[in-house]
Amino acid sequence: MAAKLKKGDKVVVLAGKDKGKEGTISSVDPKAGKAVVDGVNMAIRHTKQSQTDQGGRKPKAMPIQLSNLAFLDANGKATRVGFKVEDGKKVRYAKTTGDVIDA
């Protein structure tokens, strides 16, 4: 199935401990159905010191289920994403406004 949410999309969290938080998707794993969103679902990871990094307790964004995310349209509202054919190409669009997401 085609990915409705992609890297770089602005999203809002619909469920879980970070409900209502907004962020940008930094990576997507479509096989697992998860995405990493900047500043959401943070966990503390203990890292070892290296030549370039001090090490210690570092916050890291962990993957979150795609079903718990919603795309933010131009108005800043959560919306569903659909597909339509425009000029012979399949494009994503916001269902609330009808605007094409990736032109």
Side-chain angles (χ1 to χ4, degrees):
M1 189 170 135
K4 295 193 177 205
L5 297 174
K6 294 183 177 182
K7 181 179 177 180
D9 286 349
K10 291 268 299 167
V11 293
V12 63
V13 180
L14 300 176
K17 65 178 184 179
D18 294 320
K19 182 177 180 177
K21 284 189 180 178
E22 298 177 4
T24 306
I25 295 179
S26 58
S27 69
V28 178
D29 183 6
K31 195 168 188 178
K34 295 184 178 239
V36 175
V37 181
D38 297 331
V40 173
N41 200 23
M42 300 299 283
I44 300 293
R45 290 290 174 250
H46 294 49
T47 58
K48 192 173 181 181
Q49 184 175 352
S50 66
Q51 281 186 327
T52 57
D53 191 30
Q54 177 63 34
R57 300 177 70 218
K58 305 275 182 166
K60 180 182 179 186
M62 301 304 288
I64 189 169
Q65 194 71 28
L66 285 173
S67 63
N68 294 332
L69 300 174
F71 183 80
L72 284 176
D73 63 3
N75 302 331
K77 301 251 185 193
T79 183
R80 292 183 302 169
V81 176
F83 294 100
K84 63 182 174 182
V85 177
E86 212 171 74
D87 299 328
K89 288 194 172 195
K90 185 176 175 183
V91 293
R92 297 184 308 152
Y93 75 99
K95 288 206 173 185
T96 54
T97 59
D99 296 337
V100 174
I101 297 169
D102 15 60

